[in-house]
Amino acid sequence: GARGDMLIEIDAIVERLLLDLEQRGLLQDTLVILSSDNGAQRIPAEQRAGHFANGDFRGDKGTIFEGGHRVPLIIKWGQQAFGTSSHPQGTVISALVGVQDLFATLAELVGVRLPADQGRDSVSLLPVLMGKATTARDQMVHEADAPEDNALDGGIEGRHFAYRSGSWKLVFNGTQSPVGLYDLALDPYEKSNLVGQPQQADRVATMKLALEKALASERTAPVVDPNSTPPSPTVSLSASPTSVAAGTAADLTWS
């Protein structure tokens, strides 16, 4: 079907790009990032055929559960692209990441200090990628447009939020009342709702307050001291000085 064709087309395009970079001798000087903006849809016909786009994760595109937010993030770079990471090729890093974090990551990569009004929810992952840290953030706000589960939130319409703190995830309904608490380290498929357990009352209250603070704040990323020394660039990006024919793009090289 059309969706299957689309996935095959993406694979084919990525392969052509990588092969072209290799043929031009640029693959080792290139940073390639592949991700998705949200989880996949659950299509009944596909599931009947044995294809579960989000695996066993609960929810799908547009929901506050992991099936709506947990997506692949694949980063590939050549030895010459930037420095030497201590991670061997093919390493899987278990760190909390948002796609918005790529903004601060690329800024640090080229040594740009972001103004206070830019990248306000973006945290650089470069220390994680270089093997100098195990995580860049331990908190994150999720948002979804659709009601999640009538049994969970009573079908309340409106924006739905969830707050991550370490491995813990607190899910809110459309009126921002806590309705679900999950320890994703032990329960990644969000099957055991712990929100009503008395021993979790303090955690729920703390995370609820943290969400309210985050939503009311101007930024959730750490504030950078404007008087601090700008980050040293791991790479510098410059356009090739060769002439460019009309209608073509200039080659960009890492130096």
Side-chain angles (χ1 to χ4, degrees):
R3 281 167 50 82
D5 288 347
M6 178 183 67
L7 295 176
I8 292 174
E9 185 72 10
I10 291 173
D11 282 347
I13 290 172
V14 171
E15 181 183 35
R16 286 188 61 183
L17 286 171
L18 295 178
L19 286 175
D20 191 65
L21 287 168
E22 186 173 27
Q23 291 170 359
R24 293 169 180 262
L26 297 174
L27 188 58
Q28 291 299 313
D29 302 319
T30 303
L31 174 66
V32 180
I33 302 174
L34 179 66
S35 188
S36 176
D37 59 342
N38 47 245
Q41 291 180 295
R42 293 188 186 276
I43 308 298
E46 294 180 2
Q47 292 181 316
R48 288 193 294 270
H51 175 65
F52 298 87
N54 295 310
D56 293 325
F57 290 113
R58 184 177 179 179
D60 62 349
K61 179 178 179 179
T63 73
I64 204 66
F65 297 115
E66 290 300 279
H69 290 272
R70 190 181 291 237
V71 296
L73 173 60
I74 302 171
I75 301 178
K76 172 182 172 62
W77 67 83
Q79 184 67 26
Q80 303 303 318
F82 61 90
T84 302
S85 172
S86 62
H87 293 300
Q89 186 178 20
T91 296
V92 177
I93 302 174
S94 297
L96 183 60
V97 176
V99 174
Q100 72 270 21
D101 293 331
L102 295 177
F103 185 72
T105 302
L106 296 177
E108 184 179 2
L109 187 68
V110 295
V112 173
R113 184 172 59 202
L114 297 176
D117 63 343
Q118 297 294 314
R120 294 179 292 176
D121 300 302
S122 186
V123 178
S124 174
L125 306 173
L126 193 58
V128 177
L129 298 178
M130 300 304 291
K132 298 178 180 179
T134 57
T135 185
R137 61 157 71 235
D138 60 2
Q139 298 172 334
M140 186 182 294
V141 175
H142 296 305
E143 181 180 358
D145 297 326
E148 308 309 331
D149 185 334
N150 287 335
L152 181 68
D153 67 6
I156 297 175
E157 298 281 346
R159 294 188 299 174
H160 286 56
F161 291 97
Y163 188 80
R164 278 289 301 270
S165 178
S167 66
W168 290 91
K169 179 179 177 180
L170 183 62
V171 176
F172 298 79
N173 65 13
T175 61
Q176 292 187 28
S177 297
V179 291
L181 178 67
Y182 307 93
D183 182 358
L184 298 182
L186 302 176
D187 180 26
Y189 306 128
E190 298 170 291
K191 294 181 178 180
S192 300
N193 189 350
L194 309 178
V195 74
Q197 293 187 353
Q199 62 267 36
Q200 301 297 342
D202 288 344
R203 186 188 306 277
V204 170
T206 299
M207 293 178 68
K208 182 177 185 297
L209 184 62
L211 174 71
E212 294 171 352
K213 181 178 179 181
L215 295 180
S217 67
E218 293 185 352
R219 62 181 301 126
T220 58
V223 178
V224 177
D225 183 356
N227 298 317
S228 64
T229 303
S232 299
T234 307
V235 299
S236 61
L237 189 62
S238 60
S240 171
T242 57
S243 60
V244 180
T248 63
D251 288 334
L252 295 179
T253 58
W254 298 105
S255 60

